[in-house]
């Protein structure tokens, strides 16, 4: 079967670091780490594993970061190579292991992509898994399964950018006929947006800032509104299409950083005092109580700290490699900065449920839907076009793009 794989090596990585500056096509050209190739179909690797056939698979911002080698070299030790890319899946069960209960061939499913202690059958689980934070599992490089944080970053499981891949029964959730394939393929993304909201739940009446209204920012706004939290949400977003979607999803105010003064607007919206150092950017005292930084760049993290109120919490969801951070606002305002990845277990309506179960429940009951963010679909062999469009989303009017594998 055909698969789009990521095959890391120092020569390929070094070549792309240099050649990619001249033409970005080099990042997915013949000498890059990205390879479209024939691979053997995966075989069930144990009694509790399933073989799944893909219908749709998303193209995540983290996949683009991977292809453009934006991930910090630290992440190398938490992946195994070569791996098939793709962790946002809507799939059909093709085959089940001998001990799998509750699933049969033909079931339509979505997959929690985290390769935690449960998937690795490590017992007792690590402290992070035991306390409901599998995305922070300590055993991503341990156990029988090859190293990998998520499906789509592990050599043994395969991934969504091919016809078949493998999943452990603990990862798999059946979905009802009420859920469309498009809603299903967005379930992983939705879970990754619900999780930071659950973990850093804004309070009624608070001023919330969402930096970056791409897929994740829009998902965060939608999640806050679907959970019925009566807070005031401001989004910072330069792209008109995303601004429009943010308004549809329930944002109260949009700041367009390309033609508005973000600090002045923050003063207007929150009553903050703005101070203007001679040799640094302005800093607000007072400001936003919760900041969801869905970009995670040097500029946005610095801005988040400067716009945040005293004792505010900043949730960094965007994955980049920020460079110089001015920590003055952090200690002056007593800020809490917390990273957030993936999903886990949440307190919801008096129960402890996985973020996936909550996402599936909300979608099935029609309380939340982000499938309208899908703007483009590609066949697998159109992957170069898909990468090109993901590199220039604003120019192509793209928000979320997916691969359609239904006739592979
Ligand atoms: Zn993702
Ligand atoms: Zn663990």
């Amino acid at each position: 079967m055909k698969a789009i794989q990521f095959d890391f090596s120092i020569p390929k990585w070094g070549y792309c670091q240099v050649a990619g500056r001249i033409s970005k096509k080099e990042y997915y050209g013949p000498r890059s780490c990205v390879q479209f190739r024939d691979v053997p179909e995966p075989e069930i690797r144990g009694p509790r594993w399933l073989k799944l056939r893909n219908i749709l698979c998303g193209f995540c911002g983290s996949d683009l970061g991977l292809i453009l080698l934006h991930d910090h070299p630290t992440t190398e030790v938490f992946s195994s190579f070569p791996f098939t890319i793709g962790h946002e899946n809507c799939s059909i069960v093709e085959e089940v292991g001998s001990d799998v209960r509750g699933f049969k061939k033909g079931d339509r499913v979505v997959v929690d992509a985290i390769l935690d202690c449960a998937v690795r059958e490590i017992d007792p689980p690590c402290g992070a898994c035991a306390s409901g934070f599998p995305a922070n599992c300590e055993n991503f490089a341990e156990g029988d399964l090859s190293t990998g944080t998520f499906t789509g970053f592990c050599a043994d499981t395969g991934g969504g950018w091919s016809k078949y891949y493998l999943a452990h029964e603990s990862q798999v959730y059946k979905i009802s006929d009420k859920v469309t394939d498009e809603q299903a393929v967005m379930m992983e993304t939705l879970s990754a947006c619900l999780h930071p909201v659950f973990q850093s739940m804004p309070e009624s009446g608070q001023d919330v800032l969402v930096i970056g209204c791409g897929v994740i920012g829009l998902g965060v706004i939608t999640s806050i509104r679907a959970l019925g939290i009566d807070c005031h949400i401001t989004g910072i977003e330069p792209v008109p299409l995303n601004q429009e979607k943010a308004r549809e999803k329930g944002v109260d105010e949009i700041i367009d950083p390309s033609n508005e003064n973000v600090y002045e607007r923050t003063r207007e919206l929150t009553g903050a005092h703005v101070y203007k150092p001679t040799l640094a950017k302005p800093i607000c005292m007072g400001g936003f109580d919760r900041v969801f930084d869905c970009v995670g760049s040097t500029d946005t993290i610095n801005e988040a700290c400067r716009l945040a109120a005293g004792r505010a919490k900043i949730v960094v969801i965007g994955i980049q490699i920020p460079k110089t951070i001015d920590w003055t606002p952090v200690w002056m305002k007593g800020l809490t900065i917390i990273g957030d990845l993936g999903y886990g277990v949440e307190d919801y309506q008096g129960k402890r449920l996985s973020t996936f179960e909550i996402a599936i429940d909300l979608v099935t009951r029609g309380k939340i839907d982000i499938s309208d963010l899908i703007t483009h679909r590609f066949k697998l062999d159109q992957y170069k076009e898909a990468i090109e469009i993901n590199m220039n989303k604003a120019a192509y009017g793209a928000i979320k793009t997916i691969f359609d594998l239904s006739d592979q």
Side-chain angles (χ1 to χ4, degrees):
M1 64 176 186
K2 291 282 185 204
I4 300 171
Q5 292 203 316
F6 188 85
D7 195 2
F8 173 80
S9 74
I10 290 290
K12 285 178 181 170
W13 184 84
Y15 173 79
C16 288
Q17 289 289 9
V18 177
R21 291 198 189 125
I22 299 157
S23 165
K24 288 207 164 171
K25 290 191 191 314
E26 296 290 345
Y27 285 112
Y28 47 95
R31 296 177 68 183
S32 74
C33 301
V34 179
Q35 301 290 324
F36 184 50
R37 49 165 70 136
D38 277 308
V39 298
E41 274 184 30
E43 283 174 26
I44 291 219
R45 47 176 291 114
R48 297 176 64 196
W49 286 77
L50 296 88
K51 179 175 171 181
L52 306 176
R53 177 168 59 80
N54 254 313
I55 308 174
L56 299 175
C57 183
F59 191 132
C60 179
S62 68
D63 298 325
L64 185 66
L66 171 82
I67 292 165
L68 298 179
L69 309 180
H70 284 176
D71 292 336
H72 196 279
T74 305
T75 55
E76 178 200 352
V77 295
F78 298 109
S79 304
S80 47
F81 307 96
F83 61 76
T84 302
I85 305 171
H87 57 274
E88 304 172 352
N89 301 309
C90 167
S91 313
I92 301 281
V93 174
E94 180 72 17
E95 200 183 324
V96 296
S98 55
D99 287 354
V100 171
R101 299 285 172 267
F103 297 101
K104 60 177 187 319
K105 185 175 168 143
D107 285 344
R108 201 165 55 117
V109 296
V110 291
V111 167
D112 169 333
I114 301 172
L115 303 176
D116 60 355
C117 286
V119 173
R120 294 171 181 280
E121 298 181 4
I122 292 173
D123 196 25
C126 73
C129 285
S131 55
F133 294 93
N136 311 120
C137 177
E138 294 162 12
N139 287 324
F140 287 137
E142 305 297 328
D144 285 341
L145 187 70
S146 288
T147 298
T149 48
F150 283 61
T151 303
F153 296 90
C154 171
D156 289 351
T157 58
W161 293 11
S162 68
K163 186 172 179 181
Y164 296 110
Y165 66 107
L166 302 176
H168 188 266
E169 62 176 355
S170 62
Q171 296 180 272
V172 185
Y173 293 89
K174 227 187 281 190
I175 44 171
S176 88
D177 294 343
K178 289 185 191 151
V179 176
T180 66
D181 290 346
E182 287 73 19
Q183 288 173 323
V185 77
M186 295 303 286
M187 211 66 86
E188 201 268 355
T189 306
L190 177 59
S191 301
C193 297
L194 279 165
H195 182 60
V197 173
F198 271 107
Q199 291 305 313
S200 303
M201 190 74 86
E203 289 163 27
S204 175
Q206 280 191 325
D207 282 310
V208 174
L209 177 64
V210 177
I211 302 180
C213 301
V215 177
I216 296 296
L218 292 167
V220 165
I221 295 164
T222 314
S223 299
I224 293 172
R225 289 300 179 231
L227 295 173
I229 306 157
D230 179 24
C231 58
H232 187 275
I233 311 178
T234 299
I236 299 184
E237 171 58 48
V239 178
L241 174 64
N242 297 60
Q243 292 173 357
E244 193 186 307
K245 274 285 169 199
R247 287 197 181 93
E248 262 175 48
K249 297 294 183 191
V251 85
D252 296 295
E253 295 285 340
I254 284 283
I255 303 177
D256 182 343
S258 49
N259 59 34
E260 286 182 291
N261 183 315
V262 175
Y263 296 90
E264 280 308 310
R265 292 282 281 129
T266 299
R267 184 183 60 73
E268 285 166 24
L269 293 168
T270 67
H273 291 278
V274 181
Y275 300 91
K276 295 176 181 162
T278 314
L279 300 175
K281 286 197 170 172
I283 177 169
C284 294
M285 295 305 273
F288 294 98
D289 306 297
R290 281 276 186 285
V291 184
F292 293 92
D293 182 351
C294 305
V295 181
S297 69
T298 309
D299 285 350
T300 61
I301 292 180
N302 275 309
E303 197 159 77
C305 295
R306 302 182 102 75
L307 300 176
R311 310 303 297 172
K313 192 167 178 184
I314 297 172
V315 188
V316 181
I317 313 174
I319 301 174
Q320 292 201 35
I321 309 177
K323 299 200 169 65
T324 312
I325 304 293
D326 173 8
W327 292 98
T328 312
V330 178
W331 49 259
M332 276 210 58
K333 303 196 237 178
L335 302 178
T336 301
I337 302 178
I338 184 165
D340 197 282
L341 172 74
Y343 22 82
V345 181
E346 326 288 356
D347 292 315
Y348 179 62
Q349 297 182 338
K351 290 188 205 147
R352 292 276 288 164
L353 294 173
S354 76
T355 326
F356 254 77
E357 288 173 299
I358 299 166
I360 292 168
D361 173 63
L362 288 169
V363 171
T364 309
R365 288 193 291 122
K367 299 283 176 202
I368 197 166
D369 183 11
I370 56 168
S371 64
D372 59 314
L373 303 184
I374 299 171
T375 53
H376 292 67
R377 302 177 169 241
F378 304 94
K379 298 290 175 194
L380 213 51
D381 59 5
Q382 296 174 300
Y383 73 101
K384 289 187 177 176
E385 196 185 335
I387 295 170
E388 166 76 21
I389 288 177
N390 273 276
M391 286 194 301
N392 303 288
K393 277 185 167 178
Y396 288 99
I399 301 178
K400 183 72 182 180
T401 72
I402 57 171
F403 286 108
D404 183 341
L405 294 113
S406 51
D407 62 356
Q408 290 283 307

